[in-house]
Amino acid sequence: MFGIVRPCRHRLGESLTSQWMAHLCGLCLALRKDHGQFARIVTNYDGLLISVLTEAQAGQGGAGAGRRTAGPCPLRGMRTASVAHGEGARLAAAVSLVLASAKVRDHVADGDGMLARRPVALAARRIATGWDAAGARGGGAVGFDTAVLVDAVDRQGGIEALAGPGTPLLAVTEPTETATAAAFAHTAYLAGRPDNAEPLAEAGRLFGRLAHLLDAVEDKEADAASGAWNPLTATGTPLTEARRLADDAVHGVRLALREAEFADGRLVHRLLVHELGNSVDRAFGTVSCAHGHPYAPPGTPGAPQGPGAPPPPEPPRGNRRGLLAGCAVWVGLACTCQLCCGTYHDPWSGERKEGSCTNCDCSGCGDCCSCCDCCSDCCGDDGCGCDGCDCGCSC
């Protein structure tokens, strides 16, 4: 799983966590439906923002958005769930494929890990080419031309080759900005709100800048050790300047979203106003959550759990499985590491339990995520336009 917006469930609250998971599962299932099982490997945290934006503008069941009940999945303890589907999820899937293709090509160019071996690199390039084609088909099905994304990927290499000390860092991030601007803007057309296209394009442009900047910051030391190309090192940009650009981009996204109209903008606000700032803090090494963990879906190894976490709804006590069915579910939980790392539902009784390796201690943390403070900061004096606290916290 890759992406810069990885929210902590303690800050999201139960309601918005449920919505966020609906879009994450919806993206995964849209990839499977349109592009096959293997395509699900490109499911990522940033791609689902496309689905979130579409539904936020149209409302559940509106143009381009909707919900359906998905079948059992091992990562949900073999339980069904309400997931996002429709054109928003399909656009998210198409964009995710093209972005994943770009990421694979980047790793091949850098010779990372196994990709330094020629046979593996050739196979990876073939996979990336297939993802480009699949993304183009998926984008075309919802009226989006992924050529702008592919063009951005193609131009990136040439820009990096010419970059050197003194080259403006924003010249290097431009292709990513252009690609994400186009994807964000298209959600306005899918949702039937064309007037939102311009502000969402601006929000997308700045989001793309952030994605590129934070990736460079997080990889700087590893790239230096391996000799891989890094935009900060190549252009001689200090971390202080990178942080200034990142903070300006976060503020710009906030201002751009104020110009757009949403049927229900709570999750968009939480992710692209609150959590985007937390992503910057995390990349630059400042604390973004007192638990010390980014958000991870239930069952993900290392996911924060404990007494301070909002408990998900317990399954009905009468929903018990037989011996053989329970054993089958147990095998699935074991194979996905949920029995030891994270939270899961007992294969037979359905009771929620904690994995044996869970290590997030929330006891006695009080206002551990500073929920009221973050709401007052965002919704009070800095002019982001909130009408009260709508970010889903319980305070």
Side-chain angles (χ1 to χ4, degrees), residues 204-259:
R205 182 179 68 83
L206 294 171
F207 180 85
R209 178 181 299 179
L210 271 171
H212 202 130
L213 281 174
L214 300 190
D215 184 62
V217 170
E218 292 177 341
D219 292 347
K220 190 173 188 296
E221 292 185 5
D223 288 343
S226 65
W229 194 91
N230 184 283
L232 299 179
T233 304
T235 61
T237 304
L239 286 177
T240 52
E241 174 63 8
R243 180 63 193 250
R244 184 189 68 79
L245 291 172
D247 288 339
D248 285 349
V250 170
H251 186 63
V253 169
R254 177 180 298 173
L255 294 179
L257 291 178
R258 291 179 61 183
E259 303 300 320

Side-chain angles (χ1 to χ4, degrees), residues 156-168:
Q156 188 70 53
I159 290 174
E160 292 179 357
L162 295 174
T167 300

Side-chain angles (χ1 to χ4, degrees), residues 112-296:
D112 292 338
M114 294 288 291
L115 294 174
R117 300 181 180 180
R118 182 176 175 81
V120 179
L122 289 174
R125 287 194 185 96
R126 178 171 295 183
I127 291 172
T129 300
W131 283 347
D132 282 339
R137 291 193 302 270
V142 294
F144 180 67
D145 186 357
T146 59
V148 65
L149 308 184
V150 176
D151 175 69
V153 173
D154 291 341
R155 288 191 295 112
Q156 188 70 53
I159 290 174
E160 292 179 357
L162 295 174
T167 300
L169 186 58
L170 297 188
V172 180
T173 64
E174 180 275 322
T176 307
E177 296 178 22
T178 300
T180 50
F184 272 44
H186 196 69
T187 65
Y189 298 107
L190 292 183
R193 292 183 182 264
D195 290 343
N196 283 350
E198 185 174 346
L200 290 184
E202 176 67 4
R205 182 179 68 83
L206 294 171
F207 180 85
R209 178 181 299 179
L210 271 171
H212 202 130
L213 281 174
L214 300 190
D215 184 62
V217 170
E218 292 177 341
D219 292 347
K220 190 173 188 296
E221 292 185 5
D223 288 343
S226 65
W229 194 91
N230 184 283
L232 299 179
T233 304
T235 61
T237 304
L239 286 177
T240 52
E241 174 63 8
R243 180 63 193 250
R244 184 189 68 79
L245 291 172
D247 288 339
D248 285 349
V250 170
H251 186 63
V253 169
R254 177 180 298 173
L255 294 179
L257 291 178
R258 291 179 61 183
E259 303 300 320
E261 295 184 3
F262 298 99
D264 182 355
R266 289 177 301 162
L267 184 56
V268 167
H269 178 85
R270 179 75 252 186
L271 296 177
L272 290 179
V273 173
H274 293 271
E275 293 298 337
L276 205 53
N278 291 329
S279 298
V280 173
D281 288 336
R282 181 172 60 243
F284 283 90
T286 52
V287 176
S288 60
C289 176
H291 299 84
H293 296 282
Y295 172 77

Side-chain angles (χ1 to χ4, degrees), residues 1 5-12 17 20-21 24 45 75 282 289 293-305 309 341-343:
M1 298 289 286
V5 181
R6 305 190 293 271
C8 171
R9 83 170 66 164
H10 301 80
R11 291 190 298 258
L12 279 184
T17 295
W20 190 82
M21 285 297 300
L24 183 63
Y45 296 130
L75 293 179
R282 181 172 60 243
C289 176
H293 296 282
Y295 172 77
T300 302
Q305 307 291 337
C341 306
T343 185

